[in-house]
Amino acid sequence: MVRLSIIALGLLYALSNTLGVVADTATLTDPAIDGTISVGFSNVNITAILAEAEKELGVNGTVTDNLPDDSYGAPGTTITTRDLEKLQELRKRTSGTGIFGAIACLSLKLLFSSKTATVGTPNYNAWNNPSFWSATTYMTPTCVFRPTSALDVSLALRVILLTQADFNVVGGGHSAIKGWANTEDGVLIVLSGLTGVNIKTGYVEVGAGERWGNVFTELDKKKLMALGGRMSTVGVPGLVLGGGISYLTNQHGFVADQVENFQVVLANGYVVSANKYLNPDLFRALKGGSSNFGIVTRIDLRTWPCPHGVYSGQLYFNDRSEYPKIFDAVYNYHTVGALSDTQTHLISAFVYVQIPGIGGLHMGAFTAFRNLSAPISATNPGPGTALAEIVHLNPTVRDASTLQVRPYGTQAIELGAGDAPGLRQDMRDFSVYANRALYEELFLLWESVMIPKHGNKAGFMGTIAFQPITTTAVAAGVARGGNSLGLEGNTKTMAIINLTHQWADPKDDTEILKSLDELLGLAIALAKAKNSYHPYYYLNYARKQDNPIGSYGTAAVNRLKGVSRFYDPCRVFQDRVSGGFKIPGL
Ligand SMILES: Cc1cc2nc3c(=O)[nH]c(=O)nc-3n(C[C@H](O)[C@H](O)[C@H](O)COP(=O)(O)OP(=O)(O)OC[C@H]3O[C@@H](n4cnc5c(N)ncnc54)[C@H](O)[C@@H]3O)c2cc1C
Ligand SMILES: *[C@@H]1O[C@H](CO)[C@@H](O)[C@H](O)[C@H]1NC(C)=O
Ligand SMILES: *[C@@H]1O[C@H](CO)[C@@H](O)[C@H](O)[C@H]1NC(C)=O
Ligand SMILES: *[C@@H]1O[C@H](CO)[C@@H](O)[C@H](O)[C@H]1NC(C)=O
Ligand SMILES: *[C@@H]1O[C@H](CO)[C@@H](O)[C@H](O)[C@H]1NC(C)=O
């Protein structure tokens, strides 16, 4: 209550100070307040806006006791619905000016001087761009707020609600879409301070600032495993909220399907649990509904024993003439192996990479994985039956591979070692039904559209990957109470076709993206012509202009709309967060 009245004072202070009206600074005891805080709106002529704010809010340098008529938010707060309505009205008439973000930032600076960083400060530089994987996603938020607890997030969301500021949230920062986890005006909430991997009986509590590598390393120490990302560097929250494909997906579904509980800060600042028993509709919505409902501060994931470790590693196929055999193996795995041994996984990626001094290199970069139910032996060979075809396809490749028995988490760390932040990145995807001929044609199409034209560009690397989503994976999600992804109707294996490209020079953005858009159009047309198109877009790899949530289907979208209307009636996550995949038609 006391702290919230300080926010109100911060708001008044910001307005009155900028107006040149003397604020009652005697009541502001925070040492950070000296009237010199730069909040980044010096280039905006805000006279008219502030005059209006003064009129609308009755703020003119006098601190009035704004007694609540009807309280909104937690009991005892001084935010009233009347104030909110006025602010929302004001916001509508003055959008895009940056002033609301500036006021929020000043208020946060007053409340959390060491956790709020404004432009030009060392913390701003340390917390802003380094939070992002792709250089295409760098922006300049008015301030960066780095909470270290759910309560910090709660208070920050109340400030944001009160000030009607724009904001966004970044977890591991691996979205490649500009503005999806960042904001140009307003507050960027960086979750990296929400750390903690606490292993409990049967589950692990993971702070939303964690990345998968640390989660797995802690689990390995206890010979445990959990579903998660396949590369150590990727963030926990974004991956889970978009679904999440893991090494154990064939048996246990998406990573989100194995969440036991989400701790979520709602738009009004409430910190709630969402699980099978509490807020079950919100729980289901968060499994694929992305950033539309709240800021997730902790995710509790189910754990399993991993007593014998896993047999896994990377295989690199360099002989282009082997590709037809490789496509056979991929297709057979998707339609047979992945179903018969659900404890296995196969990443099938075809890569073209420019190596200075050597030139363009084609390779099949595969990761084969099997969770071991017993130590390997003559009767229990590492690859088992499901992975035998791909592993033994070329004995030289097999012998040069990193295949080995190892602790679960080390595979994600091995793959993560190749993940470099700071390049220009694009990810996009679409879906098909498993189809051997189509896979190879899609590969050839990708190659012909991208490589001759762009293969020589600085830092260019392109990948096309084929990821099965089996009926067993979908059934696992249903058995866990369902998710938002809308795949329940699948009766055969589908595959997510995942295109990842990176390059170094911003000058190449336009041309490369143009080719990629062309490629996606042609690829989808090809899949349709082969009667193998599936309308699903996997959210975590989707392109900005695609509509992954819409692709979940009407029933799922209607559920998500209802959950948003209930948990975020003021549309904070729809309107104040400009980026991210929204719920269509809400
Ligand atoms: C190298 C690489 C490997 C990958 N491997 C896999 C893989 O194995 N399996 C897989 O399924 N996907 C994988 N992905 C895709 C990955 O799931 C997405 O990039 C995902 O967005 C990463 O999550 P993040 O926390 O790092 O993302 P961020 O970019 O931080 O966030 C993504 C979105 O989620 C929102 N968000 C983040 N945290 C929260 C929160 N706590 N509460 C509410 N909203 C939040 C953001 O605002 C943003 O809209 C990979 C991506 C890359 C680049
Ligand atoms: C700012 O806008 C006000 C009102 O529109 C105007 O009177 C004033 O001259 C402007 N100031 C500057 C520096 O442009
Ligand atoms: C602030 O505005 C109110 C309402 O317009 C007015 O009654 C009051 O005198 C003003 N106070 C100051 C300090 O200007
Ligand atoms: C991995 O294998 C062990 C040993 O068979 C088993 O107990 C565990 O449940 C498996 N893990 C998963 C995630 O299925
Ligand atoms: C998508 O491609 C990226 C980069 O090649 C890879 O790391 C990721 O595992 C792929 N995802 C799937 C689902 O195949």
Side-chain angles (χ1 to χ4, degrees), residues 528-547:
K528 283 182 176 163
K530 300 262 165 193
N531 281 323
S532 292
Y533 181 65
H534 190 300
Y536 179 70
Y537 286 100
Y538 178 48
L539 185 143
N540 281 337
Y541 300 123
R543 176 177 65 153
K544 181 176 183 170
Q545 57 271 50
D546 295 324
N547 177 5

Side-chain angles (χ1 to χ4, degrees), residues 69-91:
D69 11 349
D70 41 341
S71 176
Y72 180 89
T77 66
T78 58
I79 305 172
T80 68
T81 47
R82 195 192 56 210
D83 294 338
L84 277 176
E85 279 159 18
K86 281 184 194 166
L87 277 156
Q88 279 176 329
E89 230 350 83
L90 180 63
R91 168 83 211 199

Side-chain angles (χ1 to χ4, degrees), residues 24-72:
D24 183 7
T25 47
T27 60
L28 302 175
T29 49
D30 190 304
I33 301 164
D34 60 3
T36 62
I37 298 162
S38 162
V39 288
F41 52 83
S42 56
N43 294 326
V44 182
N45 181 351
I46 54 170
T47 309
I49 298 160
L50 288 176
E52 187 158 8
E54 183 183 10
K55 193 165 122 256
E56 290 292 324
L57 300 172
V59 175
N60 57 4
T62 309
V63 177
T64 52
D65 185 13
N66 222 347
L67 288 173
D69 11 349
D70 41 341
S71 176
Y72 180 89

Side-chain angles (χ1 to χ4, degrees), residues 180-484:
W180 254 222
N182 205 345
T183 181
E184 195 59 50
D185 277 335
V187 186
L188 172 64
I189 303 176
V190 167
L191 298 179
S192 58
L194 296 180
T195 52
V197 177
N198 300 314
I199 297 172
K200 307 280 180 170
T201 308
Y203 68 99
V204 56
E205 297 175 348
V206 182
E210 294 287 350
R211 295 176 192 237
W212 293 107
N214 193 38
V215 178
F216 296 154
T217 299
E218 290 305 311
L219 291 174
D220 277 350
K221 290 179 191 163
K222 302 235 155 103
K223 287 190 189 283
L224 291 170
M225 66 201 306
L227 272 73
R230 293 163 302 176
M231 284 169 91
S232 55
T233 45
V234 177
V236 170
L239 182 138
V240 173
L241 293 171
I245 295 164
S246 106
Y247 293 112
L248 279 313
T249 285
N250 289 332
Q251 177 154 348
H252 299 295
F254 287 83
V255 182
D257 292 322
Q258 296 305 330
V259 171
E260 295 284 341
N261 178 61
F262 291 99
Q263 182 189 63
V264 196
V265 182
L266 301 175
N268 63 2
Y270 274 52
V271 185
V272 301
S273 291
N275 54 51
K276 200 170 150 183
Y277 308 104
L278 294 167
N279 302 299
D281 48 350
L282 177 63
F283 180 51
R284 183 172 185 185
L286 289 167
K287 301 182 193 180
S290 197
S291 57
N292 284 294
F293 307 100
I295 299 181
V296 171
T297 46
R298 199 188 77 213
I299 298 175
D300 302 346
L301 284 167
R302 189 171 171 188
T303 55
W304 281 268
C306 189
H308 309 293
V310 301
Y311 174 84
S312 88
Q314 288 174 273
L315 295 143
Y316 293 103
F317 297 95
N318 291 318
D319 182 353
R320 190 73 168 67
S321 70
E322 275 175 345
Y323 279 27
K325 272 199 288 174
I326 297 178
F327 279 108
D328 288 340
V330 169
Y331 176 74
N332 292 338
Y333 179 74
H334 286 191
T335 51
V336 182
L339 295 151
S340 64
D341 186 351
T342 51
Q343 292 275 302
T344 61
H345 188 77
L346 183 66
I347 302 179
S348 314
F350 295 86
V351 183
Y352 177 89
V353 58
Q354 189 56 239
I355 300 186
I358 296 180
L361 204 70
H362 279 281
M363 65 188 165
F366 281 52
T367 304
F369 172 99
R370 180 166 166 252
N371 178 33
L372 294 172
S373 56
I376 61 170
S377 64
T379 52
N380 180 32
T385 315
L387 295 168
E389 185 178 357
I390 190 75
V391 166
H392 300 306
L393 192 129
N394 177 335
T396 311
V397 167
R398 181 197 58 213
D399 296 346
S401 76
T402 64
L403 282 166
Q404 60 192 278
V405 176
R406 51 163 97 207
Y408 170 64
T410 63
Q411 181 59 65
I413 291 166
E414 182 185 319
L415 288 189
D419 184 29
L423 285 156
R424 308 191 77 74
Q425 303 277 0
D426 178 86
M427 297 198 289
R428 54 187 67 208
D429 72 344
F430 65 101
S431 301
V432 302
Y433 286 104
N435 178 330
R436 158 73 181 78
L438 178 63
Y439 287 179
E440 190 165 11
E441 285 173 45
L442 288 170
F443 164 76
L444 292 170
L445 175 69
W446 163 74
E447 201 178 43
S448 69
V449 174
M450 296 309 296
I451 311 309
K453 213 165 172 182
H454 305 294
N456 284 326
K457 295 203 157 79
F460 181 87
M461 181 161 116
T463 306
I464 182 169
F466 299 80
Q467 166 68 47
I469 302 295
T470 57
T471 48
T472 52
V474 172
V478 173
R480 292 277 291 172
N483 55 39
S484 295

Side-chain angles (χ1 to χ4, degrees), residues 104-136:
C105 284
L106 181 54
S107 300
L108 288 171
K109 186 88 194 164
L110 302 182
L111 287 164
F112 301 101
S113 60
S114 65
K115 297 177 186 176
T116 309
T118 47
V119 181
T121 60
N123 279 344
Y124 185 94
N125 297 336
W127 298 341
N128 186 19
N129 289 354
S131 296
F132 296 92
W133 175 63
S134 174
T136 55

Side-chain angles (χ1 to χ4, degrees), residues 1-12 28 63 76-78 111:
M1 178 164 189
V2 175
R3 302 180 97 197
L4 278 164
S5 67
I6 296 174
I7 300 171
L9 286 174
L11 176 64
L12 298 174
L28 302 175
V63 177
T77 66
T78 58
L111 287 164

